[in-house]
Amino acid sequence: MEKEVATSLIAAGAALSGVAVSQLGNIVRTLFDRSNERTALLRTKLEELADNLHKTTEWFDELTKAVSEKDARRVSSNGQNQPVALSSEARRVYVLSLLYFPSMQEEAKTLLNSTYAFYQLMMHPKNITQEELGDSTEKFSTSKKSLDDLIIMEAQKIT
């Protein structure tokens, strides 16, 4: 009878051990999957941030060109003048930095503020001095360069 009890205990212990090992494997796999999902999400958001930064640069370049032509208006498809809109992409860069990339928050805020300041200058393009234009362009360029560098650093962390 002792032999039967010992055999039963060994069989029960082996079954419980098998279940425990199986559960432990599932837990490890779940943690690994979550880590990969988080990495994929961060990569996607970093790409979106970089795309919006590029669009903001295009917006800035377009307005800079308009200043040189002394006309802060854009011609629409129907041939009418249309005021240039504020850069929503700069706002998106800032929001993405707040949500996903805390190391970029300050530079993204500086970029956003520089686009606001430049846009305010554009409301009166005929009154813009070269000094104001130079200061605004310098602030934008500096914050854009810093964000480009931070994007590279974040990309290296993610990969």
Side-chain angles (χ1 to χ4, degrees):
M1 178 131 156
E2 283 183 22
K3 237 181 178 183
E4 292 173 359
V5 171
T7 304
S8 296
L9 287 175
I10 290 173
L16 288 175
S17 297
V19 169
V21 168
S22 174
Q23 288 299 323
L24 183 61
N26 285 337
I27 290 169
V28 169
R29 186 172 28 150
T30 300
L31 291 174
F32 182 72
D33 289 345
R34 283 185 185 164
S35 175
N36 285 344
E37 288 172 5
R38 174 83 176 147
T39 300
L41 174 67
L42 287 176
R43 186 175 294 126
T44 301
K45 295 303 179 182
L46 187 61
E47 288 173 9
E48 183 181 348
L49 189 145
D51 287 343
N52 280 301
L53 181 59
H54 178 71
K55 289 176 185 175
T56 301
T57 303
E58 288 176 341
W59 171 87
F60 189 85
D61 291 343
E62 182 180 334
L63 287 184
T64 303
K65 182 180 175 193
V67 166
S68 67
E69 296 169 358
K70 296 290 186 195
D71 182 22
R73 303 183 96 58
R74 172 182 348 174
V75 177
S76 67
S77 58
N78 63 6
Q80 295 180 338
N81 279 342
Q82 215 177 356
V84 176
L86 189 59
S87 175
S88 61
E89 290 86 4
R91 179 74 179 162
R92 186 69 181 149
V93 167
Y94 182 61
V95 169
L96 287 169
S97 73
L98 288 174
L99 295 174
Y100 299 100
F101 306 104
S103 65
M104 295 184 186
Q105 286 178 4
E106 286 304 313
E107 288 304 324
K109 186 176 184 178
T110 302
L111 180 87
L112 181 63
N113 289 339
S114 71
T115 60
Y116 286 159
F118 191 71
Y119 183 76
Q120 289 299 319
L121 286 176
M122 293 307 299
M123 294 298 96
H124 309 287
K126 296 187 184 345
N127 300 331
I128 298 175
T129 66
Q130 287 300 324
E131 184 179 338
E132 289 173 323
L133 183 60
D135 287 347
S136 186
T137 302
E138 178 67 26
K139 286 177 186 172
F140 178 84
S141 298
T142 301
S143 61
K144 186 210 177 288
K145 169 84 172 88
S146 295
L147 276 172
D148 282 336
D149 293 342
L150 289 169
I151 287 170
I152 291 169
M153 288 174 29
E154 285 294 330
Q156 290 172 343
K157 286 183 201 174
I158 294 172
T159 55

